[in-house]
Amino acid sequence: MPRVAFHTLGCKLNMAETSSLQRAFEEHAFEVVPFGDSADVAVVNTCSVTAEADRKCRQVIRRALRANPSACVVVTGCYAQLQPEAVSSIEGVDVILGTHEKARLFEFIDTFEKRERTQVHVSCIDDRDAFAPAHLATDRTRAFLKVQDGCDYSCSFCTIPLARGKSRSGSPELLLSQARELAARGVREVVLTGVNLGLYGQDLESKSSLLDLLRAFSCIDGIERWRISSIEPNLLTDALIDFVAESRAFVPHFHVPLQSGDDAVLGAMRRRYRRRRWADRARRIIEYMPDACIGADVIVGFPAETKEHFENTVAFLSDLPIAYLHVFTYSERPNTAAVNSPHRMGGHPVPRAVRAFRNRRLRCLSDKKRQAFYERYLGQERPVLWERPKRQDALSGFTDNYIRVRRPFDEARIGSVETVRLGSIGSDGALMAA
């Protein structure tokens, strides 16, 4: 039986799509083995959100080539779509597949043998109008279900629309069928993923909205928890917040991208909201769900970001009921407005040392925010979904409001939702089950 290995870089959406590729290979009688083991085929699903992501992609591709010099190496994903020439310059890469071609891998590759020349299948992203379904489920605990792809926005720092195309939604019938399949497999929690989740349904003839989809999902028996991965503040409506607040199925956890806490920078970034809107969303969430966990994405070092702008962001974040931050250092991306028309950004490149310093400051703030959030729940009881650990020395899982919890290993608890009393904060930052 031929063997195939996979490596995924980037977001949960990429992970879900890799999982679909794995199932396709298994249907073609391949055995899936860990990346780095002896394999006949190596598939690298790439990311290109930053220059650092590009560097890691090249590094992983070379690792695949070193681990199995005779294997057929297939590179797909966002980096492959945006920079196929850079990928093909790496000696030993056999096939490059773009966004459109990823889900149809077996239509483009007839034989998995080493090639003398790199075979490139990358079509224009503007032609991408079909939704390719994908989901990732591991060990009957948590699954990631792709419901939307692409983005119609034009943020000045972002290449995702160039890599994934316009917004596309899965039909409610398809997505509900996939969800029922996950429920039948014993999955306890489903996380809904997409590039710009709040745009769900706007491209469908039925004009089904994200709220309509959430209502339909909440009626499916067998899945105990539903979680929204990320949603833009301008698309997070009162109705969506109210629905989650009243739902027994959807958990009180929201990840709402911010990017900057200064309105001038948000304008230069071409974001479709200002800080007042973000703060209003956070306050409404906490008003209706006092135990809710709120996370945010923030970019530091954007060309328009002065020291004053950055301090505005720090002050803004400090005053909000945020539990954690995902901090990104701005990276110049080819073919974005921030690079092509820097004079329109109202600023100049921020020195890399300053970007790194600002990143560290916000990461420290995130640590303090997370610890303060966790400390609120010491001694309280919350439901925890226990996951299978990588090492059998302890169990870990998340509460409904996204607090990481650990306890001594117990095989019988894996995949169960258990109400536990939250004890002290451990050395790794997780709470210990009392």
Side-chain angles (χ1 to χ4, degrees), residues 16 136 141 146 161 178 208 241 265 273 341 350 362 375 406:
L136 166 66
T141 52
K146 172 184 172 182
Q178 287 186 307
S208 175
I241 294 172
V265 178
Y273 56 87
S341 304
V350 176
L362 285 192
E375 287 177 347
R406 294 195 186 278

Side-chain angles (χ1 to χ4, degrees), residues 303-315:
E305 185 184 69
T306 64
K307 181 180 179 180
E308 180 182 2
H309 293 149
F310 175 70
E311 294 300 336
N312 287 343
T313 295
V314 174

